Amino acid sequence: CVTLDVHAACRDTAVTQELLKEGFHRDLLVKVELGEDAGGCAVAARMRLPPGIYVDPYELATLQQHNLTKAVLFPDVIDVEAPEYSARDLLLLLFLEPDARCSRCFRAAVPVHARYHRPAEGTEEALVVLESPEVLLCCCHSHLSTECWEPAEVDTPCPSDNTSPCQWHSTKHRPAHEESVLRVPVGLREHSSLVCALTLLTTGLCSGLILAAACKYGHFS
Protein backbone atom coordinates (compact mmCIF):
# COMPACT_ATOMS: atom_id res chain seq x y z
CA CYS A 1 0.00 0.00 0.00
CA VAL A 2 1.07 3.59 -0.52
CA THR A 3 0.41 6.75 1.39
CA LEU A 4 -2.86 8.51 0.53
CA ASP A 5 -3.39 12.27 0.53
CA VAL A 6 -6.14 11.98 3.10
CA HIS A 7 -6.85 15.71 3.33
CA ALA A 8 -8.15 15.83 -0.24
CA ALA A 9 -9.77 12.40 -0.01
CA CYS A 10 -11.51 13.22 3.23
CA ARG A 11 -12.70 16.59 2.00
CA ASP A 12 -14.01 15.45 -1.37
CA THR A 13 -15.37 11.98 -0.67
CA ALA A 14 -18.68 11.48 -2.46
CA VAL A 15 -21.03 8.54 -1.91
CA THR A 16 -24.00 7.61 -4.09
CA GLN A 17 -26.27 4.59 -4.07
CA GLU A 18 -28.90 3.45 -6.54
CA LEU A 19 -31.66 0.86 -6.41
CA LEU A 20 -31.73 -0.91 -9.75
CA LYS A 21 -34.55 -3.04 -11.23
CA GLU A 22 -38.17 -3.01 -10.06
CA GLY A 23 -40.33 -4.88 -7.57
CA PHE A 24 -39.34 -6.66 -4.39
CA HIS A 25 -36.01 -7.94 -5.73
CA ARG A 26 -33.50 -5.20 -6.50
CA ASP A 27 -29.79 -4.53 -6.88
CA LEU A 28 -28.19 -1.95 -4.60
CA LEU A 29 -25.34 -0.18 -6.40
CA VAL A 30 -22.87 1.79 -4.25
CA LYS A 31 -20.37 4.20 -5.79
CA VAL A 32 -17.62 6.10 -3.98
CA GLU A 33 -15.34 8.80 -5.35
CA LEU A 34 -12.32 9.77 -3.25
CA GLY A 35 -10.45 13.05 -3.47
CA GLU A 36 -7.21 11.33 -4.50
CA ASP A 37 -6.02 8.05 -5.99
CA ALA A 38 -6.44 5.39 -3.29
CA GLY A 39 -3.16 3.81 -4.35
CA GLY A 40 -3.71 0.26 -3.18
CA CYS A 41 -5.89 0.99 -0.15
CA ALA A 42 -8.89 -1.25 0.37
CA VAL A 43 -12.18 0.64 0.17
CA ALA A 44 -15.44 -0.57 1.68
CA ALA A 45 -18.91 0.74 2.39
CA ARG A 46 -20.53 -0.05 5.72
CA MET A 47 -24.31 0.29 5.63
CA ARG A 48 -27.16 -0.41 7.99
CA LEU A 49 -30.16 -2.02 6.34
CA PRO A 50 -33.53 -1.30 8.03
CA PRO A 51 -35.98 -4.13 8.79
CA GLY A 52 -37.86 -3.52 5.55
CA ILE A 53 -35.01 -4.79 3.38
CA TYR A 54 -32.49 -7.61 3.61
CA VAL A 55 -29.66 -9.44 1.86
CA ASP A 56 -30.12 -13.19 1.37
CA PRO A 57 -27.04 -14.84 2.97
CA TYR A 58 -27.34 -17.92 0.74
CA GLU A 59 -27.48 -15.79 -2.40
CA LEU A 60 -24.54 -13.74 -1.13
CA ALA A 61 -22.49 -16.90 -0.51
CA THR A 62 -23.16 -18.08 -4.08
CA LEU A 63 -22.07 -14.74 -5.52
CA GLN A 64 -18.89 -14.80 -3.46
CA GLN A 65 -18.07 -18.32 -4.62
CA HIS A 66 -18.14 -17.00 -8.20
CA ASN A 67 -16.14 -13.87 -7.24
CA LEU A 68 -19.03 -11.65 -8.29
CA THR A 69 -19.08 -9.69 -5.03
CA LYS A 70 -17.38 -9.59 -1.65
CA ALA A 71 -19.26 -8.64 1.47
CA VAL A 72 -19.71 -9.51 5.14
CA LEU A 73 -23.18 -9.65 6.69
CA PHE A 74 -23.99 -9.22 10.39
CA PRO A 75 -25.70 -11.32 11.58
CA ASP A 76 -24.92 -14.05 9.10
CA VAL A 77 -28.11 -16.01 9.94
CA ILE A 78 -31.27 -14.29 8.69
CA ASP A 79 -34.92 -15.30 8.52
CA VAL A 80 -35.65 -14.43 4.89
CA GLU A 81 -39.37 -15.22 5.34
CA ALA A 82 -39.96 -12.82 8.23
CA PRO A 83 -42.17 -9.77 7.57
CA GLU A 84 -40.87 -6.27 8.18
CA TYR A 85 -42.55 -5.86 11.57
CA SER A 86 -40.78 -8.90 13.07
CA ALA A 87 -37.36 -8.38 11.45
CA ARG A 88 -34.41 -6.32 12.68
CA ASP A 89 -31.66 -4.16 11.25
CA LEU A 90 -28.74 -5.72 9.39
CA LEU A 91 -25.17 -4.50 9.02
CA LEU A 92 -23.51 -5.01 5.64
CA LEU A 93 -19.83 -4.41 4.89
CA LEU A 94 -19.49 -4.26 1.11
CA PHE A 95 -15.99 -4.29 -0.42
CA LEU A 96 -15.73 -1.97 -3.40
CA GLU A 97 -13.81 -2.62 -6.60
CA PRO A 98 -11.84 0.03 -8.54
CA ASP A 99 -13.70 1.61 -11.43
CA ALA A 100 -11.61 1.32 -14.60
CA ARG A 101 -12.96 4.65 -15.87
CA CYS A 102 -11.77 6.65 -12.83
CA SER A 103 -8.67 6.13 -10.68
CA ARG A 104 -10.40 7.63 -7.63
CA CYS A 105 -13.67 5.75 -8.08
CA PHE A 106 -14.91 2.49 -6.57
CA ARG A 107 -18.16 0.62 -6.95
CA ALA A 108 -19.97 -2.60 -6.07
CA ALA A 109 -23.49 -4.00 -6.25
CA VAL A 110 -25.35 -6.47 -4.05
CA PRO A 111 -28.84 -8.00 -4.42
CA VAL A 112 -31.38 -6.81 -1.84
CA HIS A 113 -34.95 -7.90 -1.20
CA ALA A 114 -37.92 -6.05 0.28
CA ARG A 115 -39.93 -7.64 3.08
CA TYR A 116 -43.71 -7.76 3.30
CA HIS A 117 -45.18 -4.94 5.40
CA ARG A 118 -48.37 -4.59 7.41
CA PRO A 119 -51.42 -3.27 5.55
CA ALA A 120 -51.55 0.50 5.66
CA GLU A 121 -54.42 2.97 5.87
CA GLY A 122 -54.88 5.48 3.06
CA THR A 123 -51.77 4.47 1.11
CA GLU A 124 -50.78 1.55 -1.10
CA GLU A 125 -47.05 1.68 -0.39
CA ALA A 126 -44.57 1.74 2.48
CA LEU A 127 -41.30 3.65 2.34
CA VAL A 128 -38.00 2.01 3.26
CA VAL A 129 -35.26 4.63 3.68
CA LEU A 130 -31.66 3.54 3.09
CA GLU A 131 -29.16 5.83 4.76
CA SER A 132 -25.94 6.67 2.96
CA PRO A 133 -23.13 4.14 3.57
CA GLU A 134 -20.12 4.93 5.72
CA VAL A 135 -16.87 4.94 3.71
CA LEU A 136 -14.02 2.90 5.19
CA LEU A 137 -10.36 2.78 4.14
CA CYS A 138 -7.75 0.19 5.00
CA CYS A 139 -4.25 1.32 3.98
CA CYS A 140 -1.73 -1.21 5.25
CA HIS A 141 1.69 0.18 6.28
CA SER A 142 0.63 3.80 5.72
CA HIS A 143 -0.34 6.48 8.21
CA LEU A 144 -3.62 8.31 7.77
CA SER A 145 -4.10 11.83 9.05
CA THR A 146 -5.83 11.97 12.43
CA GLU A 147 -7.47 15.20 11.29
CA CYS A 148 -9.60 13.39 8.70
CA TRP A 149 -9.60 9.72 9.66
CA GLU A 150 -10.24 7.81 12.84
CA PRO A 151 -9.95 4.07 13.65
CA ALA A 152 -13.15 2.15 12.95
CA GLU A 153 -14.32 -0.94 14.78
CA VAL A 154 -14.47 -3.44 11.93
CA ASP A 155 -13.90 -7.11 12.76
CA THR A 156 -12.88 -7.96 9.20
CA PRO A 157 -9.38 -8.06 7.68
CA CYS A 158 -8.39 -6.13 4.59
CA PRO A 159 -9.00 -8.27 1.48
CA SER A 160 -5.46 -7.50 0.30
CA ASP A 161 -3.83 -8.69 3.50
CA ASN A 162 -5.54 -11.58 5.27
CA THR A 163 -2.45 -12.80 7.12
CA SER A 164 -1.77 -9.85 9.44
CA PRO A 165 -4.02 -7.37 11.27
CA CYS A 166 -4.83 -4.16 9.42
CA GLN A 167 -6.74 -1.23 10.89
CA TRP A 168 -9.76 0.16 9.10
CA HIS A 169 -10.44 3.91 9.27
CA SER A 170 -13.54 6.02 8.72
CA THR A 171 -13.89 9.68 7.81
CA LYS A 172 -14.51 12.15 10.61
CA HIS A 173 -16.58 14.41 8.39
CA ARG A 174 -19.92 13.68 6.73
CA PRO A 175 -19.33 12.97 3.03
CA ALA A 176 -21.60 14.18 0.27
CA HIS A 177 -24.38 11.60 -0.07
CA GLU A 178 -27.97 10.91 -0.96
CA GLU A 179 -30.49 8.70 0.80
CA SER A 180 -32.33 6.10 -1.25
CA VAL A 181 -36.01 5.29 -0.81
CA LEU A 182 -37.54 1.92 -1.67
CA ARG A 183 -41.29 1.98 -2.22
CA VAL A 184 -42.90 -1.32 -1.21
CA PRO A 185 -46.51 -2.14 -2.23
CA VAL A 186 -48.77 -2.91 0.74
CA GLY A 187 -52.41 -3.81 1.24
CA LEU A 188 -55.09 -1.36 2.40
CA ARG A 189 -56.58 -1.85 5.86
CA GLU A 190 -60.01 -0.79 4.62
CA HIS A 191 -59.99 -3.83 2.32
CA SER A 192 -59.35 -6.31 5.17
CA SER A 193 -63.03 -7.29 5.63
CA LEU A 194 -63.47 -7.90 1.91
CA VAL A 195 -60.25 -9.90 1.67
CA CYS A 196 -61.22 -12.07 4.67
CA ALA A 197 -64.70 -12.72 3.25
CA LEU A 198 -63.37 -13.66 -0.20
CA THR A 199 -60.66 -15.84 1.35
CA LEU A 200 -63.21 -17.68 3.50
CA LEU A 201 -65.59 -18.10 0.55
CA THR A 202 -62.82 -19.40 -1.73
CA THR A 203 -61.56 -21.79 0.93
CA GLY A 204 -65.05 -23.19 1.52
CA LEU A 205 -65.75 -23.56 -2.21
CA CYS A 206 -62.45 -25.35 -2.88
CA SER A 207 -62.95 -27.63 0.12
CA GLY A 208 -66.43 -28.51 -1.11
CA LEU A 209 -65.16 -29.34 -4.61
CA ILE A 210 -62.42 -31.56 -3.19
CA LEU A 211 -64.89 -33.35 -0.91
CA ALA A 212 -67.35 -33.85 -3.78
CA ALA A 213 -64.61 -35.27 -6.03
CA ALA A 214 -63.42 -37.58 -3.26
CA CYS A 215 -66.95 -38.91 -2.70
CA LYS A 216 -67.56 -39.41 -6.42
CA TYR A 217 -64.27 -40.95 -7.50
CA GLY A 218 -62.78 -42.22 -4.26
CA HIS A 219 -62.68 -45.87 -3.32
CA PHE A 220 -63.64 -46.48 0.28
CA SER A 221 -63.44 -49.89 1.85
Side-chain angles (χ1 to χ4, degrees), residues 114-165:
R115 293 187 184 275
Y116 290 104
H117 288 61
R118 292 184 187 276
E121 187 172 351
T123 179
E124 296 182 353
E125 61 183 18
L127 303 182
V128 179
V129 179
L130 298 178
E131 297 179 356
S132 181
E134 176 187 8
V135 179
L136 300 174
L137 284 184
C138 188
C139 302
C140 306
H141 314 302
S142 66
H143 300 284
L144 298 178
S145 169
T146 58
E147 296 179 3
C148 292
W149 301 90
E150 60 184 356
E153 295 184 4
V154 181
D155 190 20
T156 301
C158 288
S160 59
D161 185 1
N162 292 326
T163 59
S164 60

Short mmCIF file of all heavy atoms in Angstrom, two decimals, residues 114-165:
data_model
loop_
_atom_site.label_atom_id
_atom_site.label_comp_id
_atom_site.label_asym_id
_atom_site.label_seq_id
_atom_site.Cartn_x
_atom_site.Cartn_y
_atom_site.Cartn_z
N ALA A 114 -36.98 -6.73 -0.61
CA ALA A 114 -37.92 -6.05 0.28
C ALA A 114 -38.74 -7.09 1.04
O ALA A 114 -39.07 -8.16 0.52
CB ALA A 114 -38.83 -5.13 -0.51
N ARG A 115 -39.07 -6.77 2.27
CA ARG A 115 -39.93 -7.64 3.08
C ARG A 115 -41.39 -7.18 2.97
O ARG A 115 -41.67 -6.03 2.64
CB ARG A 115 -39.49 -7.60 4.55
CG ARG A 115 -38.12 -8.20 4.81
CD ARG A 115 -37.86 -8.27 6.31
NE ARG A 115 -36.54 -8.75 6.65
CZ ARG A 115 -36.20 -10.05 6.74
NH1 ARG A 115 -37.12 -10.97 6.51
NH2 ARG A 115 -34.97 -10.40 7.08
N TYR A 116 -42.29 -8.10 3.27
CA TYR A 116 -43.71 -7.76 3.30
C TYR A 116 -43.98 -6.88 4.53
O TYR A 116 -43.46 -7.12 5.61
CB TYR A 116 -44.56 -9.01 3.35
CG TYR A 116 -44.55 -9.79 2.05
CD1 TYR A 116 -43.81 -10.96 1.92
CD2 TYR A 116 -45.26 -9.34 0.94
CE1 TYR A 116 -43.79 -11.66 0.72
CE2 TYR A 116 -45.25 -10.03 -0.26
CZ TYR A 116 -44.50 -11.19 -0.36
OH TYR A 116 -44.48 -11.88 -1.55
N HIS A 117 -44.83 -5.87 4.35
CA HIS A 117 -45.18 -4.94 5.40
C HIS A 117 -46.64 -5.14 5.83
O HIS A 117 -47.43 -5.78 5.13
CB HIS A 117 -45.00 -3.50 4.93
CG HIS A 117 -43.57 -3.08 4.79
ND1 HIS A 117 -42.69 -3.70 3.93
CD2 HIS A 117 -42.86 -2.09 5.41
CE1 HIS A 117 -41.50 -3.11 4.02
NE2 HIS A 117 -41.58 -2.14 4.90
N ARG A 118 -46.98 -4.57 6.97
CA ARG A 118 -48.37 -4.59 7.41
C ARG A 118 -49.23 -3.77 6.45
O ARG A 118 -48.75 -2.83 5.83
CB ARG A 118 -48.48 -3.99 8.81
CG ARG A 118 -47.85 -4.80 9.93
CD ARG A 118 -48.13 -4.12 11.26
NE ARG A 118 -47.43 -4.75 12.37
CZ ARG A 118 -47.86 -5.81 13.03
NH1 ARG A 118 -49.01 -6.36 12.69
NH2 ARG A 118 -47.16 -6.31 14.04
N PRO A 119 -50.51 -4.12 6.34
CA PRO A 119 -51.42 -3.27 5.55
C PRO A 119 -51.44 -1.85 6.11
O PRO A 119 -51.35 -1.65 7.33
CB PRO A 119 -52.77 -3.96 5.70
CG PRO A 119 -52.44 -5.39 6.03
CD PRO A 119 -51.18 -5.33 6.86
N ALA A 120 -51.54 -0.89 5.25
CA ALA A 120 -51.55 0.50 5.66
C ALA A 120 -52.93 1.12 5.44
O ALA A 120 -53.79 0.53 4.76
CB ALA A 120 -50.49 1.29 4.89
N GLU A 121 -53.15 2.28 6.00
CA GLU A 121 -54.42 2.97 5.87
C GLU A 121 -54.23 4.22 5.02
O GLU A 121 -53.43 5.10 5.35
CB GLU A 121 -54.97 3.35 7.25
CG GLU A 121 -56.37 3.92 7.21
CD GLU A 121 -56.97 4.09 8.60
OE1 GLU A 121 -56.35 3.60 9.57
OE2 GLU A 121 -58.04 4.71 8.70
N GLY A 122 -54.94 4.29 3.90
CA GLY A 122 -54.88 5.48 3.06
C GLY A 122 -53.72 5.52 2.09
O GLY A 122 -53.55 6.50 1.37
N THR A 123 -52.89 4.49 2.05
CA THR A 123 -51.77 4.47 1.11
C THR A 123 -51.52 3.03 0.67
O THR A 123 -51.76 2.09 1.43
CB THR A 123 -50.49 5.05 1.74
OG1 THR A 123 -49.42 4.99 0.78
CG2 THR A 123 -50.10 4.29 2.98
N GLU A 124 -51.03 2.88 -0.55
CA GLU A 124 -50.78 1.55 -1.10
C GLU A 124 -49.30 1.21 -1.12
O GLU A 124 -48.90 0.26 -1.78
CB GLU A 124 -51.35 1.46 -2.51
CG GLU A 124 -52.86 1.60 -2.57
CD GLU A 124 -53.41 1.46 -3.97
OE1 GLU A 124 -52.60 1.39 -4.92
OE2 GLU A 124 -54.65 1.41 -4.12
N GLU A 125 -48.48 1.97 -0.40
CA GLU A 125 -47.05 1.68 -0.39
C GLU A 125 -46.43 2.11 0.94
O GLU A 125 -46.89 3.04 1.60
CB GLU A 125 -46.32 2.36 -1.55
CG GLU A 125 -46.42 3.87 -1.53
CD GLU A 125 -45.76 4.52 -2.73
OE1 GLU A 125 -45.54 3.81 -3.73
OE2 GLU A 125 -45.46 5.73 -2.67
N ALA A 126 -45.37 1.38 1.31
CA ALA A 126 -44.57 1.74 2.48
C ALA A 126 -43.20 2.19 1.99
O ALA A 126 -42.71 1.71 0.97
CB ALA A 126 -44.44 0.53 3.42
N LEU A 127 -42.60 3.10 2.73
CA LEU A 127 -41.30 3.65 2.34
C LEU A 127 -40.20 3.05 3.21
O LEU A 127 -40.29 3.07 4.44
CB LEU A 127 -41.30 5.18 2.48
CG LEU A 127 -42.38 5.93 1.68
CD1 LEU A 127 -42.22 7.43 1.88
CD2 LEU A 127 -42.32 5.57 0.21
N VAL A 128 -39.18 2.53 2.57
CA VAL A 128 -38.00 2.01 3.26
C VAL A 128 -36.83 2.93 2.92
O VAL A 128 -36.41 3.00 1.76
CB VAL A 128 -37.68 0.56 2.84
CG1 VAL A 128 -36.43 0.07 3.57
CG2 VAL A 128 -38.86 -0.35 3.14
N VAL A 129 -36.32 3.65 3.90
CA VAL A 129 -35.26 4.63 3.68
C VAL A 129 -33.91 3.99 3.95
O VAL A 129 -33.67 3.44 5.03
CB VAL A 129 -35.45 5.86 4.58
CG1 VAL A 129 -34.32 6.87 4.36
CG2 VAL A 129 -36.80 6.51 4.31
N LEU A 130 -33.02 4.05 2.95
CA LEU A 130 -31.66 3.54 3.09
C LEU A 130 -30.72 4.71 3.32
O LEU A 130 -30.57 5.57 2.44
CB LEU A 130 -31.25 2.77 1.84
CG LEU A 130 -32.07 1.53 1.49
CD1 LEU A 130 -31.56 0.91 0.20
CD2 LEU A 130 -31.99 0.52 2.61
N GLU A 131 -30.10 4.76 4.48
CA GLU A 131 -29.16 5.83 4.76
C GLU A 131 -27.88 5.64 3.93
O GLU A 131 -27.55 4.53 3.50
CB GLU A 131 -28.81 5.85 6.25
CG GLU A 131 -30.00 6.13 7.15
CD GLU A 131 -29.61 6.13 8.61
OE1 GLU A 131 -28.44 5.83 8.91
OE2 GLU A 131 -30.48 6.43 9.45
N SER A 132 -27.18 6.73 3.73
CA SER A 132 -25.94 6.67 2.96
C SER A 132 -24.91 5.81 3.68
O SER A 132 -24.79 5.86 4.90
CB SER A 132 -25.38 8.07 2.74
OG SER A 132 -24.21 8.03 1.98
N PRO A 133 -24.15 4.99 2.94
CA PRO A 133 -23.13 4.14 3.57
C PRO A 133 -22.00 4.96 4.18
O PRO A 133 -21.75 6.10 3.80
CB PRO A 133 -22.61 3.28 2.41
CG PRO A 133 -23.63 3.40 1.33
CD PRO A 133 -24.25 4.75 1.49
N GLU A 134 -21.33 4.36 5.14
CA GLU A 134 -20.12 4.93 5.72
C GLU A 134 -18.91 4.42 4.93
O GLU A 134 -18.78 3.22 4.71
CB GLU A 134 -19.99 4.52 7.19
CG GLU A 134 -18.72 5.00 7.86
CD GLU A 134 -18.56 4.42 9.24
OE1 GLU A 134 -19.35 3.53 9.62
OE2 GLU A 134 -17.63 4.85 9.96
N VAL A 135 -18.04 5.32 4.49
CA VAL A 135 -16.87 4.94 3.71
C VAL A 135 -15.73 4.55 4.65
O VAL A 135 -15.42 5.28 5.59
CB VAL A 135 -16.43 6.10 2.80
CG1 VAL A 135 -15.19 5.70 2.00
CG2 VAL A 135 -17.55 6.48 1.85
N LEU A 136 -15.13 3.40 4.39
CA LEU A 136 -14.02 2.90 5.19
C LEU A 136 -12.79 2.68 4.30
O LEU A 136 -12.92 2.24 3.16
CB LEU A 136 -14.39 1.58 5.87
CG LEU A 136 -15.58 1.61 6.84
CD1 LEU A 136 -15.90 0.21 7.32
CD2 LEU A 136 -15.30 2.53 8.02
N LEU A 137 -11.62 3.00 4.84
CA LEU A 137 -10.36 2.78 4.14
C LEU A 137 -9.46 1.91 4.98
O LEU A 137 -9.41 2.03 6.21
CB LEU A 137 -9.64 4.10 3.84
CG LEU A 137 -10.16 4.97 2.70
CD1 LEU A 137 -9.25 6.17 2.53
CD2 LEU A 137 -10.26 4.19 1.41
N CYS A 138 -8.73 1.03 4.32
CA CYS A 138 -7.75 0.19 5.00
C CYS A 138 -6.45 0.29 4.19
O CYS A 138 -6.33 -0.33 3.14
CB CYS A 138 -8.24 -1.24 5.08
SG CYS A 138 -7.19 -2.32 6.09
N CYS A 139 -5.52 1.10 4.68
CA CYS A 139 -4.25 1.32 3.98
C CYS A 139 -3.13 0.71 4.81
O CYS A 139 -2.64 1.32 5.76
CB CYS A 139 -4.00 2.81 3.77
SG CYS A 139 -5.31 3.63 2.82
N CYS A 140 -2.76 -0.51 4.49
CA CYS A 140 -1.73 -1.21 5.25
C CYS A 140 -0.39 -0.49 5.11
O CYS A 140 -0.01 -0.05 4.02
CB CYS A 140 -1.61 -2.66 4.76
SG CYS A 140 -3.17 -3.56 4.79
N HIS A 141 0.33 -0.38 6.22
CA HIS A 141 1.69 0.18 6.28
C HIS A 141 1.73 1.66 5.92
O HIS A 141 2.80 2.19 5.62
CB HIS A 141 2.63 -0.59 5.34
CG HIS A 141 2.50 -2.07 5.45
ND1 HIS A 141 2.69 -2.75 6.63
CD2 HIS A 141 2.16 -3.01 4.53
CE1 HIS A 141 2.50 -4.04 6.44
NE2 HIS A 141 2.17 -4.23 5.17
N SER A 142 0.61 2.35 5.94
CA SER A 142 0.63 3.80 5.72
C SER A 142 -0.06 4.48 6.89
O SER A 142 -0.79 3.85 7.65
CB SER A 142 -0.08 4.15 4.41
OG SER A 142 -1.46 3.84 4.50
N HIS A 143 0.18 5.75 7.06
CA HIS A 143 -0.34 6.48 8.21
C HIS A 143 -1.34 7.52 7.72
O HIS A 143 -1.00 8.41 6.95
CB HIS A 143 0.80 7.17 8.97
CG HIS A 143 1.82 6.20 9.48
ND1 HIS A 143 1.61 5.40 10.59
CD2 HIS A 143 3.05 5.87 9.01
CE1 HIS A 143 2.68 4.65 10.81
NE2 HIS A 143 3.56 4.91 9.86
N LEU A 144 -2.56 7.39 8.16
CA LEU A 144 -3.62 8.31 7.77
C LEU A 144 -3.66 9.48 8.74
O LEU A 144 -3.37 9.34 9.93
CB LEU A 144 -4.97 7.60 7.76
CG LEU A 144 -5.11 6.43 6.77
CD1 LEU A 144 -6.48 5.79 6.91
CD2 LEU A 144 -4.88 6.89 5.35
N SER A 145 -4.04 10.64 8.23
CA SER A 145 -4.10 11.83 9.05
C SER A 145 -5.19 11.71 10.10
O SER A 145 -6.33 11.34 9.81
CB SER A 145 -4.38 13.05 8.16
OG SER A 145 -4.68 14.18 8.95
N THR A 146 -4.84 12.02 11.35
CA THR A 146 -5.83 11.97 12.43
C THR A 146 -6.84 13.10 12.32
O THR A 146 -7.86 13.08 13.00
CB THR A 146 -5.12 12.04 13.80
OG1 THR A 146 -4.34 13.24 13.85
CG2 THR A 146 -4.23 10.83 14.01
N GLU A 147 -6.54 14.10 11.47
CA GLU A 147 -7.47 15.20 11.29
C GLU A 147 -8.70 14.78 10.47
O GLU A 147 -9.77 15.35 10.62
CB GLU A 147 -6.78 16.38 10.59
CG GLU A 147 -5.65 16.99 11.41
CD GLU A 147 -4.98 18.14 10.67
OE1 GLU A 147 -5.45 18.46 9.55
OE2 GLU A 147 -4.02 18.71 11.19
N CYS A 148 -8.50 13.79 9.59
CA CYS A 148 -9.60 13.39 8.70
C CYS A 148 -10.10 11.97 8.96
O CYS A 148 -11.23 11.66 8.62
CB CYS A 148 -9.15 13.50 7.25
SG CYS A 148 -8.85 15.19 6.68
N TRP A 149 -9.25 11.13 9.52
CA TRP A 149 -9.60 9.72 9.66
C TRP A 149 -9.45 9.27 11.10
O TRP A 149 -8.57 9.73 11.82
CB TRP A 149 -8.72 8.86 8.75
CG TRP A 149 -8.82 9.20 7.31
CD1 TRP A 149 -8.06 10.10 6.61
CD2 TRP A 149 -9.77 8.68 6.38
NE1 TRP A 149 -8.47 10.16 5.32
CE2 TRP A 149 -9.51 9.30 5.13
CE3 TRP A 149 -10.79 7.74 6.46
CZ2 TRP A 149 -10.25 9.02 3.99
CZ3 TRP A 149 -11.53 7.46 5.32
CH2 TRP A 149 -11.26 8.09 4.11
N GLU A 150 -10.31 8.37 11.50
CA GLU A 150 -10.24 7.81 12.84
C GLU A 150 -10.44 6.30 12.76
O GLU A 150 -11.11 5.79 11.86
CB GLU A 150 -11.31 8.42 13.74
CG GLU A 150 -12.74 8.21 13.25
CD GLU A 150 -13.75 8.92 14.11
OE1 GLU A 150 -13.33 9.51 15.13
OE2 GLU A 150 -14.94 8.88 13.77
N PRO A 151 -9.81 5.54 13.68
CA PRO A 151 -9.95 4.07 13.65
C PRO A 151 -11.42 3.67 13.75
O PRO A 151 -12.20 4.26 14.49
CB PRO A 151 -9.17 3.63 14.88
CG PRO A 151 -8.20 4.73 15.13
CD PRO A 151 -8.91 6.00 14.75
N ALA A 152 -11.78 2.67 12.96
CA ALA A 152 -13.15 2.15 12.95
C ALA A 152 -13.16 0.73 13.49
O ALA A 152 -12.24 -0.04 13.23
CB ALA A 152 -13.73 2.19 11.53
N GLU A 153 -14.19 0.41 14.23
CA GLU A 153 -14.32 -0.94 14.78
C GLU A 153 -14.92 -1.85 13.73
O GLU A 153 -16.13 -1.91 13.54
CB GLU A 153 -15.19 -0.91 16.04
CG GLU A 153 -14.59 -0.14 17.20
CD GLU A 153 -15.44 -0.22 18.45
OE1 GLU A 153 -16.47 -0.95 18.41
OE2 GLU A 153 -15.11 0.44 19.44
N VAL A 154 -14.06 -2.52 12.99
CA VAL A 154 -14.47 -3.44 11.93
C VAL A 154 -13.74 -4.76 12.15
O VAL A 154 -12.52 -4.82 12.06
CB VAL A 154 -14.14 -2.89 10.53
CG1 VAL A 154 -14.61 -3.86 9.46
CG2 VAL A 154 -14.79 -1.52 10.33
N ASP A 155 -14.50 -5.80 12.48
CA ASP A 155 -13.90 -7.11 12.76
C ASP A 155 -13.75 -7.91 11.48
O ASP A 155 -14.24 -9.03 11.37
CB ASP A 155 -14.76 -7.85 13.78
CG ASP A 155 -14.08 -9.11 14.31
OD1 ASP A 155 -12.84 -9.19 14.18
OD2 ASP A 155 -14.78 -9.99 14.81
N THR A 156 -13.09 -7.31 10.49
CA THR A 156 -12.88 -7.96 9.20
C THR A 156 -11.53 -7.53 8.65
O THR A 156 -11.22 -6.33 8.64
CB THR A 156 -13.98 -7.57 8.19
OG1 THR A 156 -15.26 -7.96 8.72
CG2 THR A 156 -13.76 -8.27 6.86
N PRO A 157 -10.69 -8.45 8.22
CA PRO A 157 -9.38 -8.06 7.68
C PRO A 157 -9.50 -7.41 6.31
O PRO A 157 -10.51 -7.54 5.63
CB PRO A 157 -8.62 -9.40 7.58
CG PRO A 157 -9.71 -10.42 7.40
CD PRO A 157 -10.87 -9.91 8.21
N CYS A 158 -8.45 -6.69 5.93
CA CYS A 158 -8.39 -6.13 4.59
C CYS A 158 -8.34 -7.28 3.58
O CYS A 158 -7.64 -8.26 3.80
CB CYS A 158 -7.16 -5.26 4.41
SG CYS A 158 -7.23 -3.69 5.28
N PRO A 159 -9.04 -7.19 2.47
CA PRO A 159 -9.00 -8.27 1.48
C PRO A 159 -7.63 -8.46 0.86
O PRO A 159 -7.30 -9.53 0.37
CB PRO A 159 -10.02 -7.83 0.43
CG PRO A 159 -10.14 -6.36 0.60
CD PRO A 159 -9.93 -6.10 2.06
N SER A 160 -6.79 -7.40 0.89
CA SER A 160 -5.46 -7.50 0.30
C SER A 160 -4.42 -8.07 1.25
O SER A 160 -3.31 -8.35 0.85
CB SER A 160 -5.01 -6.11 -0.18
OG SER A 160 -4.98 -5.21 0.93
N ASP A 161 -4.79 -8.21 2.51
CA ASP A 161 -3.83 -8.69 3.50
C ASP A 161 -4.57 -9.46 4.57
O ASP A 161 -4.98 -8.91 5.59
CB ASP A 161 -3.06 -7.51 4.11
CG ASP A 161 -1.96 -7.98 5.07
OD1 ASP A 161 -1.79 -9.20 5.21
OD2 ASP A 161 -1.28 -7.11 5.65
N ASN A 162 -4.78 -10.75 4.34
CA ASN A 162 -5.54 -11.58 5.27
C ASN A 162 -4.66 -12.28 6.30
O ASN A 162 -5.16 -13.01 7.15
CB ASN A 162 -6.33 -12.64 4.50
CG ASN A 162 -7.44 -12.02 3.66
OD1 ASN A 162 -8.04 -11.04 4.05
ND2 ASN A 162 -7.69 -12.60 2.50
N THR A 163 -3.35 -12.07 6.23
CA THR A 163 -2.45 -12.80 7.12
C THR A 163 -2.07 -12.00 8.35
O THR A 163 -1.67 -12.57 9.35
CB THR A 163 -1.17 -13.19 6.35
OG1 THR A 163 -0.53 -12.01 5.86
CG2 THR A 163 -1.52 -14.10 5.18
N SER A 164 -2.15 -10.68 8.30
CA SER A 164 -1.77 -9.85 9.44
C SER A 164 -2.85 -8.82 9.70
O SER A 164 -3.56 -8.41 8.78
CB SER A 164 -0.43 -9.15 9.17
OG SER A 164 -0.52 -8.32 8.03
N PRO A 165 -2.99 -8.35 10.96
CA PRO A 165 -4.02 -7.37 11.27
C PRO A 165 -3.80 -6.07 10.51
O PRO A 165 -2.68 -5.65 10.27
CB PRO A 165 -3.85 -7.16 12.78
CG PRO A 165 -3.11 -8.37 13.26
CD PRO A 165 -2.23 -8.78 12.13
#
